[in-house]
Amino acid sequence: MRIGIVGLGLIGGSLATAINSLEDYTVYGYDASDSTTKKAILVGAIDGVLSDSILPACDMIIVALWPKATVEYIQEHADKFGKNTLVVDCSGVKQYVTDRVFPLAETHGFTFIGAHPMAGMAHAGFSYAKKTLFDRASMVLVPPKDITIEDMAKIKKVATDIGFTNFMITTPQNHDRMIAFTSQLAHVVSNAYIKSPTALEHEGFSAGSYRDLTRVAKLNEDMWTELFLENPDNLADEIDRLIEQLAAYSRAIRAGDADTLHDLLKEGRERKEQIDKERF
């Protein structure tokens, strides 16, 4: 299978490295940074440069760019994809992308599937790409309503071959609602938490809880600003709900209300246990 990958950062570079380590795949790649593309060839992550002339011959094109850049790339190359080419994105929001790309795919005759590999790390860029990034990870798929069994099987095979073990199929709306809670809110909370003046004095007083809660505070503000503003209502709703919950804890603590505080903590513990039980 011939696969083209656009964007060779952490996700795109890891996809290229993982896929090209397997037999039966030929991988072409392109990055806006020419030095990154050359490095990817040098280390064997890709077999060659993904040029416009190669696009029609690819069985699958994976666009691993931020949402706006993803849409722009597909708009600019829509007439160059082969009729049997499966185009897949990796964006962190889906409705922004699918609202613009599903119509393009229908007009130009290629198939587009929205995808979100649920994997990552604190560092970005091709230098941190690794072929094991997707081991036992989940892949969220947002297909068009008329997707064929063959195209779903194609993307699942590639994903399974490089380590994905769980697949969620959903709508753009539901994806963005869930991601606002599971990913975006966590980044907001971590980023806000670390702004406490007390954080400057944490050395020697912190352990696992501090490390866990601050891990994603070190984010790419350019990327996350775009992602947040492409999912505004869902994320703002989650932030508002969290503020209400935190206010309840604050009121109980300031009032010395042990019963209410105990109930709030018990409710949170039981919710976590319930979720873990349902998962395992």
Side-chain angles (χ1 to χ4, degrees), residues 198-215:
T198 315
L200 300 173
E201 308 170 48
H202 84 90
E203 193 68 33
F205 294 88
S206 59
S209 298
Y210 172 86
R211 288 194 299 271
D212 291 344
L213 192 49
T214 59
R215 184 179 67 83

Side-chain angles (χ1 to χ4, degrees), residues 37-223:
T37 305
K38 290 178 178 177
K39 182 177 180 180
I41 294 174
L42 183 65
V43 302
I46 60 176
D47 297 302
V49 178
L50 179 65
S51 63
D52 286 359
S53 62
I54 292 175
L55 284 176
C58 289
D59 300 290
M60 184 182 298
I61 301 293
I62 302 174
V63 185
L65 303 173
W66 298 358
K68 287 181 181 178
T70 293
V71 172
E72 290 171 359
Y73 178 87
I74 296 174
Q75 286 173 335
E76 292 169 3
H77 296 82
D79 60 347
K80 297 180 177 64
F81 300 136
K83 298 301 181 183
N84 296 318
T85 299
L86 180 60
V87 180
V88 181
D89 85 311
C90 300
S91 301
V93 294
K94 282 290 160 279
Q95 188 156 13
Y96 175 88
V97 175
T98 58
D99 281 354
R100 292 158 177 80
V101 178
F102 278 158
L104 272 176
E106 186 174 353
T107 299
H108 291 273
F110 63 89
T111 299
F112 174 75
I113 296 179
H116 188 176
M118 302 306 297
M121 57 192 300
H123 303 289
F126 181 77
S127 297
Y128 296 97
K130 58 179 183 177
K131 68 178 182 179
T132 58
L133 184 66
F134 310 108
D135 285 357
R136 297 178 295 280
S138 292
M139 172 71 86
V140 182
L141 297 175
V142 181
K145 294 179 180 179
D146 59 350
I147 190 69
T148 66
I149 294 175
E150 290 77 15
D151 280 333
M152 287 298 287
K154 185 187 295 185
I155 189 171
K156 284 189 173 181
K157 181 184 187 307
V158 174
T160 300
D161 284 350
I162 61 175
F164 288 95
T165 55
N166 185 48
F167 295 90
M168 298 296 294
I169 299 174
T170 189
T171 63
Q173 296 83 359
N174 190 55
H175 170 276
D176 289 359
R177 181 181 67 86
M178 294 301 300
I179 289 301
F181 172 72
T182 62
S183 176
Q184 295 183 341
L185 181 65
H187 285 78
V188 170
V189 171
S190 182
N191 195 261
Y193 171 78
I194 200 66
K195 293 177 184 177
S196 167
T198 315
L200 300 173
E201 308 170 48
H202 84 90
E203 193 68 33
F205 294 88
S206 59
S209 298
Y210 172 86
R211 288 194 299 271
D212 291 344
L213 192 49
T214 59
R215 184 179 67 83
V216 293
K218 189 178 179 181
L219 47 70
N220 181 326
E221 59 270 21
D222 294 327
M223 181 182 76

